[in-house]
Amino acid sequence: MTDATVLIVDDERGFVETMAKRLEKRNMTVFQAFDGDEAMARLAEQPSIQVVILDMKMPGKDGLVVLQEIKEAHPLVEVIMLTGHATVPSAVEGIQHGAYDYLMKPCSFEDLNQKIAEAVELKSEHEEEAVEARLSDITGRMG
Amino acid sequence: MHPEKKSSYDNLSRNLSLTVITVSFAPLILVGGLIFHQFRSIYTEKVFAHLAEVVDKHAADINTFLRDKLTEVQYVSRTSSFDHLATSSHLAMALRGMQQQYGRIFVDLGVVDSHGRQVAYAGPFSLLGADYSGADWFRNSKESDAIISDVFEGLRQSPHFIISVSQGRGEARWTLRATIDFLAFSYLVQNIRIGETGFAYILNSRGVYQTRPRDERNQDLELTPRRQLGRVGSLAGVSIFESVDREGDAYVTVTAPIKGGEWQLVYQQKSSDAFSAMTRTELVTLGIFLIGGLAIVVMALLISRKLVVRFQAIDQESELMSKQIVETGKLAAIGELAAGIAHEINNPVAIMIEEAGWVSDLMEDEGGELPSYAEIQRALTQVGNQGRRCKDITHKLLSFARQSDSRATEMSVPEFIREVVDISMQQARFAQVEFDLDLDETMPRISASATELQQVLLNLVNNAIQAMEPEGGRLSIGCAMDEGQAAITVADTGPGIPAANLGRIFDPFFTTKPVGKGSGLGLSICFGIIHQMGGEIDVESTVGRGTRFTIRLPVPPPARQPETRQEMRHD
């Protein structure tokens, strides 16, 4: 059992690969995607993914759009946004669309680690709530 | 101001005033001229008509007078016979009767026989037996029964004229003659007095005066007829002339025939006198016209001058605006470029930092035995640190290139100043300028557009740094509350600004830099921005000591604190 299952989404291949290696070294399972569509495909085939690290600026689908798609298809997956810009408005927008947090690129590796850990914890909490909700839903229907 | 531009403004001003003047004068002159002309002709006609009427009436009066006297004499002559009248007592009675009726107009009476001898006489002179056979009137009386003679001196050596009535044929023809007092007759004519120079007299057909003219001067008044004016329609026989005397004065002459055309009643008056009322009115009108015209001209000039000055100001403003737009556009373009570059650099730097981290991760696991392990770790840390330094630089660039917007946001002044100082640090180091910050951290936040304020402060800081090049110096930046306003001061130890230029440094296009180096817009843009924010900017400077700019900005009342953003997350 790994500490966390992470999907890194960024158009910079080198960044993704190195990041993956470093995270795997810290006992995480890491999947990689280089654009939004690939990210959605990964999420679809790997339900174990807990946290997505998502770059805001990508060719093709913009980070914000991908974020909305993820939250629609996989509401329980937590998303940490990476932004190259000091654009606070887009970050705020991301938070409003349900991102867990955002970090400025290049970010300190330690910060990222910590955020992943927090996100995983939050996700498990949410999952328990969701299970309870489903249970009550089922019992409600049974009743 | 370019000379050709100036002349174009002058042209505009001239054209404006000319247009206004033309448009106002054209109808004025047309209407004025028309009325003037109409008034003149109507008034002239009126004056002539009046004169003609007066003369005609007097001519009729004189005719009546003469006819009356003639009738009287005829009556006496018919009601008595020659023999009867030849006795002087009867004649004297007849004279008395006449004088009772007409006053002293009849001076005397006399009866003359067919040879011209006066056979009877009643009157103040002793003319009994006087021989009239050579007198004009006696010769004339042979042809016609009733005669009114011209005025002559005759035997009594004083002007008078004679009314004679003859009867009979050949030897039996006798004549009753009466002398009319000339003074009384003259009085009839001298009564005609109009204006100051109007007078009347009577001429006979040979042009001899039959009445005393008003004064001797008129005796030799020679008039050259200039033109005959149309006869006044209603009055037959009255004609009007305009003539000029030797001195060039114009006269109006009105004549009317009397005594069946033998005599003429002549009335003369200086034209200037006859038309004095008209002339006066014309002068007054002309005066009003001139004063009004002058007023129009002055107003046209003033208004066009004023308008053109306004135009000039507006043109200058728009020129400044377009320059500002160009400047802002340039700034924005540079900012975007910087943002693009910064953004592109970010990714490689991020990868480098991660790679260095990855290497250090590997070293920790496997490279512990390497002799240079510590050195490699130090180098990797250094790579990471330098990468982060690059990141700081790019982020500063990005924050500077934030899209310019004039929306006011809440901001902390000290923090903001530090940001600007960070951006200018490099430039200051090259110019050997040291920063000296005195920031009051407790001052309230202000509400202003960060990008615009940044532009202002950067401009001031850059100016200060450039002023202190190349010797360097000290740049003090401070912020504090001052009389309820946020005050930001930027003071340098440069050469200072001469007093002559101090009042003009905020003027657009004022620059002391060589051509092509400065636009002269920086400070005027600053001035504009600060005033738009409701603040003020001023400067004090001592030559040789340095310059200090002070910006004062309003602080929003604490009541208007914007509500904090609600927590986004609902757990």
Side-chain angles (χ1 to χ4, degrees):
Chain A
M1 182 66 196
T2 53
D3 286 352
T5 312
V6 182
L7 171 65
I8 306 179
V9 188
D10 197 331
D11 53 319
E12 290 281 337
R13 203 168 269 276
F15 180 77
V16 175
E17 282 165 0
T18 312
M19 197 52 106
K21 284 177 199 163
R22 293 194 73 189
L23 291 175
E24 277 166 355
K25 223 179 165 47
R26 280 165 180 71
N27 199 20
M28 294 183 197
T29 312
V30 184
F31 296 97
Q32 300 176 11
F34 302 112
D35 62 42
D37 294 334
E38 204 180 337
M40 295 312 295
R42 286 278 165 286
L43 279 167
E45 64 200 38
Q46 303 290 345
S48 61
I49 292 173
Q50 297 164 304
V51 180
V52 178
I53 297 163
L54 177 63
D55 186 33
M56 292 303 292
K57 252 186 98 110
M58 290 187 294
K61 270 190 192 157
D62 181 61
L64 270 179
V65 179
V66 179
L67 170 67
Q68 285 169 42
E69 285 180 9
I70 292 173
K71 279 285 153 189
E72 223 165 282
H74 313 279
L76 292 176
V77 172
E78 292 298 339
V79 180
I80 297 169
M81 294 186 301
L82 290 183
T83 158
H85 252 300
T87 46
V88 178
S90 67
V92 168
E93 215 175 332
I95 300 265
Q96 280 173 343
H97 284 117
Y100 171 68
D101 203 345
Y102 75 98
L103 287 170
M104 293 255 238
K105 233 166 110 179
C107 54
S108 113
F109 188 68
E110 275 63 44
D111 284 354
L112 185 63
N113 262 329
Q114 202 185 328
K115 286 272 182 282
I116 291 171
E118 284 170 14
V120 167
E121 205 168 307
L122 184 70
K123 181 175 186 291
S124 56
E125 264 177 48
H126 278 199
E127 273 171 347
E128 277 165 33
E129 280 170 28
V131 167
E132 273 169 34
R134 260 211 304 278
L135 278 176
S136 65
D137 186 40
I138 290 164
T139 49
R141 270 187 297 173
M142 303 275 284
Chain B
M1 183 66 47
H2 309 298
E4 71 268 11
K5 228 178 176 178
K6 191 154 173 50
S7 75
S8 86
Y9 282 125
D10 287 350
N11 277 342
L12 180 65
S13 168
R14 207 181 31 245
N15 291 345
L16 263 178
S17 38
L18 276 178
T19 309
V20 171
I21 289 168
T22 313
V23 167
S24 345
F25 266 107
L28 197 66
I29 288 174
L30 280 174
V31 170
L34 191 71
I35 290 174
F36 205 74
H37 174 76
Q38 286 285 16
F39 171 73
R40 218 189 167 113
S41 59
I42 289 169
Y43 192 89
T44 310
E45 225 166 277
K46 273 254 179 298
V47 166
F48 287 150
H50 171 69
L51 289 180
E53 218 165 293
V54 168
V55 170
D56 187 64
K57 190 176 143 303
H58 276 86
D61 282 355
I62 292 164
N63 273 332
T64 311
F65 172 88
L66 292 174
R67 214 178 17 252
D68 277 1
K69 305 301 166 282
L70 182 62
T71 315
E72 184 64 27
V73 177
Q74 275 174 333
Y75 172 77
V76 172
S77 128
R78 285 196 192 125
T79 50
S80 343
S81 64
F82 173 76
D83 302 331
H84 180 75
L85 280 176
T87 55
S88 59
S89 64
H90 274 98
L91 205 58
M93 252 169 61
L95 180 64
R96 237 193 335 274
M98 283 167 141
Q99 283 177 341
Q100 265 164 11
Q101 194 173 349
Y102 294 107
R104 308 282 308 167
I105 286 175
F106 286 98
V107 180
D108 56 10
L109 278 175
V111 179
V112 181
D113 64 13
S114 58
H115 302 292
R117 281 185 48 81
Q118 185 148 273
V119 293
Y121 173 80
F125 306 100
S126 52
L127 291 170
L128 189 62
D131 181 8
Y132 290 114
S133 56
D136 287 341
W137 63 266
F138 183 72
R139 278 207 292 269
N140 290 343
S141 72
K142 289 200 164 70
E143 279 104 61
S144 74
D145 289 349
I147 295 274
I148 298 173
S149 74
D150 284 346
V151 177
F152 63 106
E153 301 244 321
L155 299 169
R156 64 192 70 179
Q157 298 300 308
S158 76
H160 62 287
F161 66 91
I162 284 170
I163 296 177
S164 63
V165 176
S166 312
Q167 287 184 29
R169 291 271 167 267
E171 284 300 310
R173 189 174 175 86
W174 63 276
T175 305
L176 174 67
R177 56 164 287 275
T179 308
I180 299 292
D181 176 46
F182 177 73
L183 278 178
F185 177 70
S186 266
Y187 187 69
L188 272 181
V189 176
Q190 280 168 355
N191 252 350
I192 310 178
R193 280 265 182 276
I194 301 172
E196 285 180 12
T197 58
F199 64 95
Y201 54 87
I202 292 175
L203 291 174
N204 68 5
S205 52
R206 291 192 310 278
V208 180
Y209 283 100
Q210 303 297 302
T211 58
R212 225 180 328 194
R214 192 176 47 149
D215 50 41
E216 294 315 306
R217 197 174 57 82
N218 289 314
Q219 287 277 30
D220 48 28
L221 181 71
E222 274 190 34
L223 293 176
T224 343
R226 208 169 48 173
R227 62 192 175 112
Q228 166 151 21
L229 295 153
R231 286 170 177 269
V232 182
S234 59
L235 301 165
V238 178
S239 51
I240 300 175
F241 303 91
E242 253 195 347
S243 28
V244 185
D245 73 353
R246 267 170 311 191
E247 287 151 35
D249 290 333
Y251 280 83
V252 178
T253 308
V254 186
T255 60
I258 45 180
K259 218 180 106 183
E262 284 174 40
W263 290 359
Q264 268 198 321
L265 174 63
V266 181
Y267 170 83
Q268 281 185 327
Q269 190 179 12
K270 273 192 180 172
S271 299
S272 59
D273 185 29
F275 298 114
S276 64
M278 180 177 85
T279 317
R280 215 172 25 246
T281 312
E282 281 176 357
L283 280 176
V284 169
T285 322
L286 199 68
I288 290 170
F289 180 83
L290 283 179
I291 290 167
L294 196 69
I296 288 172
V297 169
V298 168
M299 281 312 290
L301 287 176
L302 278 179
I303 285 171
S304 64
R305 185 88 31 90
K306 250 195 178 150
L307 269 177
V308 168
V309 166
R310 279 286 302 144
F311 288 157
Q312 246 169 309
I314 287 166
D315 281 357
Q316 253 179 319
E317 251 170 62
S318 66
E319 200 175 331
L320 174 62
M321 286 284 286
S322 60
K323 283 254 163 124
Q324 276 191 347
I325 287 165
V326 169
E327 288 286 308
T328 338
K330 265 194 213 160
L331 269 177
I334 291 168
E336 250 165 73
L337 201 64
I341 291 168
H343 195 77
E344 288 309 312
I345 285 174
N346 253 344
N347 277 327
V349 167
I351 295 171
M352 285 190 318
I353 292 173
E354 291 311 325
E355 293 288 358
W358 174 232
V359 172
S360 71
D361 286 352
L362 291 178
M363 288 292 290
E364 263 172 40
D365 284 359
E366 301 153 25
E369 312 73 62
L370 282 174
S372 50
Y373 170 76
E375 192 52 35
I376 290 171
Q377 273 297 7
R378 192 202 58 76
L380 287 170
T381 316
Q382 183 70 334
V383 171
N385 286 343
Q386 295 310 316
R388 268 182 287 283
R389 208 173 134 194
C390 287
K391 177 192 110 166
D392 284 346
I393 292 166
T394 56
H395 276 285
K396 252 180 232 164
L397 260 180
L398 281 170
S399 79
F400 172 59
R402 266 192 302 241
Q403 279 206 335
S404 180
D405 57 357
S406 49
R407 280 178 306 177
T409 50
E410 282 260 314
M411 52 190 281
S412 152
V413 180
E415 213 171 291
F416 164 79
I417 290 178
R418 269 194 291 272
E419 213 172 282
V420 172
V421 168
D422 276 349
I423 293 171
S424 314
M425 196 58 95
Q426 201 56 30
Q427 201 188 347
R429 202 171 304 138
F430 286 130
Q432 299 181 356
V433 169
E434 282 180 33
F435 281 103
D436 175 10
L437 302 185
D438 171 22
L439 309 178
D440 175 7
E441 302 290 347
T442 63
M443 71 184 290
R445 296 165 74 81
I446 63 165
S447 168
S449 158
T451 42
E452 287 185 347
L453 200 55
Q454 195 176 46
Q455 197 181 342
V456 172
L457 204 55
L458 264 178
N459 208 318
L460 294 181
V461 169
N462 287 345
N463 277 350
I465 290 172
Q466 281 169 9
M468 291 187 277
E469 272 179 334
E471 298 89 2
R474 177 168 295 277
L475 177 53
S476 316
I477 303 180
C479 68
M481 287 301 288
D482 179 27
E483 295 171 4
Q485 287 183 306
I488 302 172
T489 53
V490 178
D492 64 43
T493 56
I497 302 166
N501 293 347
L502 211 52
R504 301 173 56 198
I505 58 165
F506 293 113
D507 291 355
F509 313 114
F510 177 78
T511 179
T512 53
K513 292 175 186 166
V515 176
K517 276 282 186 292
S519 66
L521 281 175
L523 281 177
S524 77
I525 294 177
C526 289
F527 187 86
I529 289 174
I530 295 295
H531 272 253
Q532 227 170 6
M533 291 179 176
E536 47 195 44
I537 179 168
D538 49 46
V539 60
E540 46 202 312
S541 180
T542 318
V543 175
R545 296 284 301 281
T547 306
R548 169 198 296 270
F549 284 90
T550 307
I551 299 171
R552 287 192 179 75
L553 289 171
V555 176
R560 276 185 56 251
Q561 285 293 348
E563 49 187 65
T564 47
R565 194 163 52 80
Q566 279 191 326
E567 220 25 76
M568 280 296 149
R569 315 194 44 81
H570 307 284
D571 292 336

